Amino acid sequence: MTQIGENTTLQVKARQALDNIKPYTPGKPIWEVQQEYGLDRVVKLASNENSLGPSPKALQAIQERLGELHRYPDGLSAKLTHALAEEFGLASENFLVTNGGDELIVLISQAFLEQGDEIIVPDPTFSEYAFGANLMASTIVKVPLAEGFQYAADDLLAAVTEKTKIVYLCSPNNPTGTYLPEAELRKFLDRLPERVLVVIDVAYRHYVTAEDYCDGLEFIREGYPVIALHTFSKIYGLAGIRVGFGVAPLAVVNTLLKVKEPFNVNALAEAAATAALHDHAHIDASRRMNEEGREQLYQGFRKLSMSYTESMSNFVLVEIGEKAERIYQQLLERGIIVRYAKSWGFPNHFRISVGTREENEIFLRALEELV
Ligand SMILES: Cc1ncc(COP(=O)(O)O)c(C=O)c1O
């Protein structure tokens, strides 16, 4: 079909900041791999989703809400916010519910970043932090993680300048699965100028087993300028409906409210998330599956003498070797989607999301055959 505008260039000038931005290219969706290679079954271990599926309680809540879809959603997601307040033992005013954690990152960027401000991010990490900064014509300062992809508070502190506005700490970090221990976080926060906002992204917090992990909440309680980013896309299994939230001191939430769209979270998403929050059977089962699956992947990698980074998350970064790109393609042809780590600067690595026992086995068997 003819594409309208195929042969014309746009005379209207876009914002200069967009020169630094390429549209996000997501991993291949299941249907595309099915179509491209003529496959019935595809195993997707590429986006850190919950292979167990969505919370059944969330599905039921969605069903119950369907008849009310002619009404606008609650602009502040009050039911979910109250449920969160109870769960976390904070006031509901300390929460901001968003259209996925991604929206929260954009809101933080819009609310706090001026042109020329700097954000500090660990390297490698989740790409949306840089996206938000690019959107606002701010500068991204990357601080390489230390040996074994571990965080080092001193390295992050050394990168702080007069222009630093936000520091992103992704813990557990995507794509490495490493985390910032509580003592390191305290050391970091105590030395950081108070004019810097710290975003601690705890999207994968449910999967952590380390005792010295910290999700930032106690620092928010203590009044540090910290916002914790949470999502319903991971353990709750609700990536498709888009809900996340931030927890922060009142002044931070009130600032973010200035840039939030009136109805940013849809009614089904709010209902689903509220139900999923209390679906402890689903949360526990998901956590168990993940711990067993992580171990299963480690064992498989050890058998193939591949080195991996021990993960506190629902994915594992593994060094496949020089044939990684070829093997990535061959896995795709067999209907197994993993995340090739080249975009993070690691052309010999994959990031594998932990799947069900069967999915992990299918992947490991294929990997063994291909290497
Ligand atoms: C570290 C991290 N933060 C935030 C998100 C955003 O999650 P969502 O927008 O689906 O809530 C993701 C998604 O993969 C992530 O990996």
Side-chain angles (χ1 to χ4, degrees):
M1 221 178 289
T2 322
Q3 292 182 324
I4 296 167
E6 201 177 358
N7 300 316
T8 51
T9 40
L10 186 65
Q11 297 300 315
V12 187
K13 183 123 181 56
R15 285 177 53 224
Q16 202 177 344
L18 304 198
D19 291 349
N20 288 331
I21 302 180
K22 286 198 201 91
Y24 182 76
T25 39
K28 276 183 192 276
I30 290 175
W31 66 265
E32 198 178 312
V33 175
Q34 275 173 328
Q35 252 179 27
E36 204 167 319
Y37 303 105
L39 300 163
D40 290 329
R41 173 151 192 209
V42 165
V43 171
K44 185 174 174 221
L45 301 175
S47 303
N48 308 336
E49 296 150 341
N50 185 346
S51 276
L52 210 56
S55 147
K57 287 196 171 156
L59 297 185
Q60 194 187 334
I62 289 171
Q63 285 288 346
E64 287 165 9
R65 192 67 181 69
L66 286 174
E68 289 293 311
L69 282 189
H70 57 302
R71 303 287 181 203
Y72 279 98
D74 179 340
L76 288 175
S77 303
K79 281 198 181 130
L80 176 54
T81 305
H82 283 122
L84 288 169
E86 217 157 87
E87 177 86 5
F88 284 79
L90 290 173
S92 51
E93 289 78 7
N94 291 116
F95 294 83
L96 178 71
V97 181
T98 54
N99 192 264
D102 286 350
E103 189 200 14
L104 183 61
I105 295 166
V106 172
L107 294 181
I108 292 169
S109 308
Q110 289 174 338
F112 290 101
L113 293 178
E114 306 270 11
Q115 182 171 2
D117 281 347
E118 291 175 359
I119 70 158
I120 294 176
V121 295
D123 185 32
T125 196
F126 187 48
S127 62
E128 287 300 292
Y129 316 140
F131 167 75
N134 278 328
L135 204 57
M136 304 312 295
S138 298
T139 304
I140 300 135
V141 178
K142 295 182 178 182
V143 177
L145 291 169
E147 183 74 26
F149 299 117
Q150 299 301 321
Y151 270 103
D154 289 341
D155 294 351
L156 292 162
L157 283 165
V160 175
T161 72
E162 289 286 300
K163 291 182 179 169
T164 306
K165 182 63 82 67
I166 299 176
V167 179
Y168 283 96
L169 303 171
C170 188
S171 183
N173 186 45
N174 178 6
T176 58
T178 48
Y179 69 103
L180 188 63
E182 183 178 354
E184 284 283 294
L185 180 55
R186 184 169 291 280
K187 180 170 139 190
F188 177 73
L189 290 175
D190 282 340
R191 286 168 176 72
L192 194 69
E194 279 180 35
R195 60 181 166 75
V196 180
L197 178 68
V198 174
V199 181
I200 169 155
D201 183 338
V202 296
Y204 300 99
R205 75 183 168 105
H206 292 94
Y207 302 108
V208 178
T209 48
E211 303 245 317
D212 57 353
Y213 174 72
C214 163
D215 66 3
L217 206 61
E218 66 188 76
F219 295 101
I220 296 165
R221 282 210 179 90
E222 288 176 31
Y224 287 89
V226 171
I227 177 163
L229 180 155
H230 295 247
T231 179
F232 281 90
S233 298
K234 305 302 169 185
I235 207 156
Y236 301 104
L238 296 175
I241 209 160
R242 317 297 304 126
V243 205
F245 63 95
V247 194
L250 211 54
V252 174
V253 174
N254 287 340
T255 305
L256 295 174
L257 283 172
K258 294 184 184 184
V259 289
K260 183 186 92 62
E261 281 180 34
F263 304 111
N264 60 328
V265 177
N266 75 72
L268 300 183
E270 189 199 357
T274 310
L277 189 66
H278 298 126
D279 192 347
H280 296 291
H282 178 261
I283 297 169
D284 291 346
S286 304
R287 200 182 271 132
R288 230 175 300 123
M289 182 192 81
N290 193 67
E291 274 176 41
E292 288 167 12
R294 227 162 32 188
E295 201 46 53
Q296 188 187 356
L297 290 175
Y298 293 166
Q299 273 181 22
F301 297 144
R302 283 199 294 265
K303 191 173 157 202
L304 297 172
S305 305
M306 289 178 175
S307 64
Y308 57 86
T309 304
E310 209 153 294
S311 171
M312 284 295 135
S313 200
N314 68 344
F315 52 81
V316 181
L317 188 68
V318 57
E319 186 168 359
I320 301 292
E322 283 175 5
K323 294 179 190 158
E325 188 159 16
R326 202 199 70 207
I327 293 173
Y328 166 73
Q329 188 54 40
Q330 289 172 322
L331 285 170
L332 264 189
E333 288 161 19
R334 292 177 178 215
I336 301 166
I337 318 176
V338 300
R339 181 70 194 262
Y340 182 36
K342 192 177 180 177
S343 63
W344 285 292
F346 295 94
N348 293 346
H349 287 66
F350 290 167
R351 187 198 66 191
I352 316 292
S353 305
V354 177
T356 61
R357 164 157 280 283
E358 190 207 4
E359 288 174 331
N360 301 333
E361 205 172 296
I362 290 171
F363 159 70
L364 287 170
R365 220 181 302 128
L367 184 64
E368 193 172 346
E369 280 170 31
L370 294 170
V371 290

